[in-house]
Amino acid sequence: MLTDGLIRLEWAEDGVFEDRASSFAVNRNLPVPPFDVARSRGRLSIATARFRLEYDLAPFSPHGLTVGLTGGRLRSPVAWRFGTPAPTLGGTARTLDEVDGRIDLGAGVVSRRGVAVVDDSTSFLFDGGAVVPRRAGVHDLYLFAYGFDYAEAIQALYAVSGPPPVLPRWALGNWWSRYHAYSADEYLEVFRRFEAEDLPFSVAVLDMDWHLVGSVDPAQGSGWTGFTWERALFPDPTAFLAALHARGLKVTLNLHPADGVRAFEERYAAMARALAHDTSRGDPIPFDPTDTSFLTAYFHVLLHPLEEEGVDFWWIDWQQGPYSRLPGVDPLWLLNHYHFIDNGRDGRRPLILSRYAGPGSHRYPIGFSGDTVISWASLAFQPEFTATAANVGFGWWSHDIGGHFSGERDDELTLRWIQLGVFSPILRLHSSANPFVTREPWTLAPEARAHAGAALKFRHRLVPYLHTMNHRAASEGKPLVRPMYHLYPGDDAAYGVPNQFAFGTQMIVAPITGPHDPVTLMGSVRVWLPEGTWTDLFTGASYAGGGELTLHRDNGSIPVLLRAGAIVPLTGATDLDASQNPDHLELVVAPGADGAFTLMEDDGTGGLSAPIPVASTPIRWEQATGTLTIGAVAGAAGIVPRTRTWTVTLLACPGISAVSVDGRQEAASGHGGQTRITLADCPTSRPVRLVFGPGLTTRTVDVAGRLFDVLHRAHYDQEAKVDAAAVLAGPIDRTVQLARLQAQGIPAPLLSAITELLVAAQGPKAGI
């Protein structure tokens, strides 16, 4: 018994129970939950508050081993039998290489039937500092019987498999990546242009051409594997990396280590000495991650000197396949495990970028999902792919934002992908070496270029929110991106919107993943809004929940919805350094209900071998009085600035000209239906109390103007627009307006866009 909903079941002919940690299960020493045991007529019964297991004490079989649910809304005398499928809501996949659309997502630990199973029978084991394969003929199962308590099932997964670590703050900013043989000057020029365009980045990625590739003698094999700088492109690697660091960037280099260390490598002789390898014939040193001597030399001789030159972490790409010298031991697992540990040496916060290697991979972020096909179908699958990964605890996917290869040029597709990237775990712009496939925003058409730049800036403004969710994922076991059914497991509608997802605690995101309609010139997405009031972060439109609605957006944004009472911390508009805790923070509040948010910050220290010092700032919205209280910072000292500038923005809540701040009146401003106030130089050691006044709720402003804009931009008969505008201006209710518009023959997409605004105009009490 591991928890009241998680039990480990093992059968082995030799009767030896396996106590060593596996690649999946690293911590079975958990507090034993209450349970009852009964034996009767050669059968064993084990019962907890969640399930009852019946077992005939024989080798596992469908008739001799069953589990039934006893708690919650999914009571069932038999919910699972050994040897029968335990259908789940999916997990994730190893790669999206060459995937153009949807693929199977394997198994996770949550199921609408209430029972899921992780089969750990073939994973490898940790034996001291070495790894060893499993014995044959063993069943080793982890049975999750959590019913609809999906969040608790994920927490149980983390309890036995280890929690996800806290990422460095800078990893949450924008990454630049391209498969291209850059020279040092070309690469630095890209970042000079980013600076000139005022586009923020925090991570610089160099794909495989940093090392010797084209100059490798075919007799030595391919150029995929390499550990030696290509001096024709990078004559002074240390100076090059220092120039990137001077711009505030962290640097990662791509590795394909499967071909080992060959005679042309600069450190071939040193590796040979470390491993007593005969160099007389120039034979390569084989890649063998199961050999601890090789691993020691691999890190100390090959990689640490490159890190001393300025490499911050490694992108471990896939080339070696799933097999190693030891049966059942996946070399990718070993690379992820040992690279992550090595990167966390000397008290550093560890990080890698690598492929997914199966359940338990959440311990080694970040995941690289592979070479993505450039297509709308590929984009349309990524939100579901990312959210469903939470079902197996994998919360930090990094996709090729914009796609890697193939496809046609489509600036709208690139823009929508970047907008999804803003609300993805990691935003890493990427493309192939094809000179016509580019991700620099200035290569896009003017409108797409402007919106892409705004999106990249907003990503850096989101970092305070993202980093709080980063800490929350590690401490509370709740990934940043989760499917809607994690929050509303008992509502059938939550299962019908796979591309809509919860983004942390305060937002629901419904990305637009299809091209615009030729009539409205807007993209659209079908959303399901749970009960409550929901306000769009970007448009300020406010909707009542409790049903489905189609939302329409121009190229400037995608739907990002805040529940009443939500509080979202952003950096100030010009404070875009993703590595630093900002001096200026903006708090975006959606009035209408009580709300709270605790901002979490750290100083970048701590990791595997040391605790992470955290400073927390509690923020609370009281709906009855319209009061926002920014609490005094608590926790580790010296992490946040001694004083801060706070901007508070009330969404869709206009008309407030003055705010009481700690008892004194301060002027507020309004723009686009918002109310905003800025307070400079507030000591973070003291609370700040802002009273906006009672009875505040969000409402969609200037509906008439928005309706005119929708009609004006539509590619539709101009005279028919006049008739439609007359109907919309009339003093009749929404139902009659829609009936008359339909009778006029308004195209369905245009009628749908109008309907959205009429619904928003009704206010939060109207319903959908």
Side-chain angles (χ1 to χ4, degrees), residues 165-172 349-351 365-366 396 425-426 467 470-471 602:
V166 177
L167 272 59
R169 191 181 195 275
W170 47 260
L172 303 172
R349 189 86 53 88
L351 191 74
I366 296 165
W396 295 109
I426 300 295
H467 197 41
N470 178 20
H471 277 277
D602 64 55

Side-chain angles (χ1 to χ4, degrees), residues 181-238:
Y182 283 109
S183 70
D185 288 342
E186 287 173 328
Y187 198 77
L188 291 173
E189 181 57 35
V190 171
F191 280 96
R192 292 188 194 102
R193 182 66 182 272
F194 284 142
E195 291 174 1
E197 299 272 339
D198 196 25
L199 297 175
F201 283 83
S202 62
V203 177
V205 182
L206 285 164
D207 213 316
M208 59 178 286
D209 289 287
W210 70 270
H211 63 71
L212 298 174
V213 176
S215 59
V216 174
D217 185 342
Q220 296 269 11
S222 76
W224 284 96
T225 295
F227 306 95
T228 301
W229 285 97
E230 174 54 83
R231 302 286 173 166
L233 297 176
F234 301 95
D236 188 345
T238 302

Side-chain angles (χ1 to χ4, degrees), residues 106-150:
V109 300
V110 301
S111 168
R112 292 194 79 176
R113 295 188 183 182
V115 177
V117 177
V118 172
D119 189 343
D120 198 35
S121 305
T122 59
S123 67
F124 66 82
L125 303 169
F126 293 101
D127 191 359
V131 296
V132 295
R134 289 272 193 166
R135 308 189 315 280
V138 172
H139 291 298
D140 194 357
L141 311 177
Y142 291 81
L143 192 139
F144 293 77
Y146 276 90
F148 279 157
D149 293 334
Y150 299 155

Side-chain angles (χ1 to χ4, degrees), residues 16 77 100 185 216 256 296 344 350 385 559 595 649 653 673 755:
V16 177
D100 191 8
D185 288 342
V216 174
H256 294 88
T296 299
F385 180 88
T649 299
C653 196
T755 301

